[in-house]
Amino acid sequence: MSFARLVRFISTDGKTYIGDAILPSGTVDARKATQAYVIKGDIFAKYEVTKEAKPIVKLLSPLAWNQIPTVRFLGLNYAKHAIETKMPKPVYPVLFFKPVTSIGGPTDDIPVPVMAQIDNETDYECELVVVIGKKATNVSEAEALDYVLGYAVGNDVSQRAWQIRKGGGQWGLGKMFDGWAPMGPALVSSKLIKDPQNLQIFTKINGLQVQSESTSDMIFKIAKTIAFLSQGSTLLPGDLIWTGTPSGVGMGRNPKYWLRDGDVVEIGLENVGTIKNKVVYEKPKSKL
């Protein structure tokens, strides 16, 4: 039996497990699960969903760092977002990467280091996250979704000063920080998501909704993106593809709306669930 909503979690014995979330009736959100059936084996090869249920104390990111070969991101992949940023609609996917250390859990704090507090331009970006399940090289658009293991939702936290003005034209410096890609709450099997291009996605800051859109507004649909990225560049099991953010980001608003110390960011995706993370500004180290 294959998993439905894979979670990685710490249980009451202090150990970390992967499991299939046992959801309360009437919800699809793994953050509301209190138990999960333990999964044994390799989720990218052969595994078993056991009947052993373990209590969930804390949800972690669905995949550990050592399970993720690369973390790819698309920029400007929603039509309305390209308009709000006053940037041209891309002809080809705009690609950038984050280190695996940026991956955080669905309830982890978002740490803002002193370097990222320059100009206080920290922004939020709700995104649908694709997890590749098997090696993909030169695949066609028609077969691309067959390579998807599942979906999650994430926040591509961005520091606009470093991304746009101080990074020499490269986005990496504004995107690289530890914990700046929290995701989850579960890895939802692709078998449960019949049409990933017809899902509502949103962001709330301290309860105020600031982003709300359908994934149908993507410029490069998921199948096209996977096919394109696999041309001459092999996608591996565990690779993450973050598929861009819709309109409503802080830098696109008037007045601009930046994240502040203590803000609570909630990111949600229809049929997948929500993540909820607190922004925490790190204090400068005192001089001896």
Side-chain angles (χ1 to χ4, degrees):
M1 183 177 69
S2 60
F3 69 82
R5 298 177 185 273
L6 182 146
V7 290
R8 194 167 64 93
F9 63 98
I10 298 173
S11 192
T12 49
D13 58 7
K15 296 180 180 180
T16 298
Y17 297 89
I18 58 170
D20 198 3
I22 303 172
L23 299 182
S25 177
T27 183
V28 298
D29 195 331
R31 277 204 310 131
K32 298 179 181 179
T34 58
Q35 295 184 87
Y37 292 119
V38 173
I39 294 175
K40 294 183 177 180
D42 181 354
I43 61 169
F44 299 108
K46 185 177 181 180
Y47 68 88
E48 175 192 7
V49 180
T50 71
K51 294 297 184 182
E52 180 186 8
K54 287 280 188 181
I56 297 172
V57 173
K58 178 180 172 62
L59 283 178
L60 307 173
S61 62
L63 299 181
W65 291 349
N66 63 3
Q67 294 177 293
I68 305 170
T70 62
V71 191
R72 293 170 169 87
F73 287 75
L74 263 59
L76 298 174
N77 195 35
Y78 280 72
K80 295 173 188 174
H81 176 53
I83 292 170
E84 76 173 348
T85 59
K86 298 181 174 58
M87 295 182 184
K89 183 177 176 181
V91 178
Y92 301 103
V94 176
L95 177 66
F96 63 94
F97 293 78
K98 283 191 179 187
V100 294
T101 51
S102 68
I103 299 299
T107 61
D108 291 347
D109 290 342
I110 299 169
V112 181
V114 174
M115 176 181 171
Q117 295 172 29
I118 293 174
D119 297 342
N120 286 318
E121 294 182 6
T122 302
D123 211 343
Y124 50 86
E125 297 189 16
C126 60
E127 303 206 8
L128 182 155
V129 183
V130 176
V131 180
I132 297 297
K134 56 185 178 179
K135 187 183 291 186
T137 309
N138 299 327
V139 303
S140 69
E141 188 173 340
E143 64 182 342
L145 293 183
D146 294 337
Y147 291 82
V148 176
L149 179 65
Y151 302 96
V153 69
N155 184 2
D156 172 20
V157 185
S158 306
Q159 214 285 349
R160 303 303 188 188
W162 281 112
Q163 178 190 349
I164 298 170
R165 299 192 304 279
K166 301 176 182 291
Q170 299 294 321
W171 288 8
L173 284 177
K175 302 275 192 173
M176 66 178 183
F177 301 106
D178 291 351
W180 277 37
M183 62 174 287
L187 172 55
V188 178
S189 171
S190 58
K191 296 176 182 178
L192 297 184
I193 306 294
K194 300 301 183 184
D195 183 5
Q197 302 300 165
N198 187 31
L199 301 173
Q200 289 296 311
I201 190 167
F202 70 85
T203 300
K204 294 180 180 179
I205 311 294
N206 303 324
L208 173 68
Q209 188 157 289
V210 291
Q211 288 184 287
S212 180
E213 189 54 80
S214 169
T215 56
S216 63
D217 192 49
M218 285 185 191
I219 298 169
F220 303 102
K221 309 304 184 188
I222 293 168
K224 189 176 187 69
T225 295
I226 293 171
F228 180 85
L229 294 180
S230 75
Q231 299 306 303
S233 180
T234 300
L235 302 175
L236 296 174
D239 275 349
L240 305 182
I241 302 174
W242 294 55
T243 54
T245 196
S247 61
V249 298
M251 79 169 184
R253 304 177 76 87
N254 187 16
K256 299 186 187 309
Y257 188 23
W258 306 121
L259 294 175
R260 294 290 183 254
D261 188 24
D263 281 351
V264 175
V265 187
E266 185 177 0
I267 304 278
L269 179 64
E270 184 181 0
N271 290 337
V272 170
T274 59
I275 64 174
K276 196 171 186 178
N277 309 92
K278 184 179 179 180
V279 177
V280 178
Y281 273 41
E282 294 183 352
K283 307 300 182 187
K285 292 182 178 179
S286 59
K287 295 182 180 180
L288 298 177

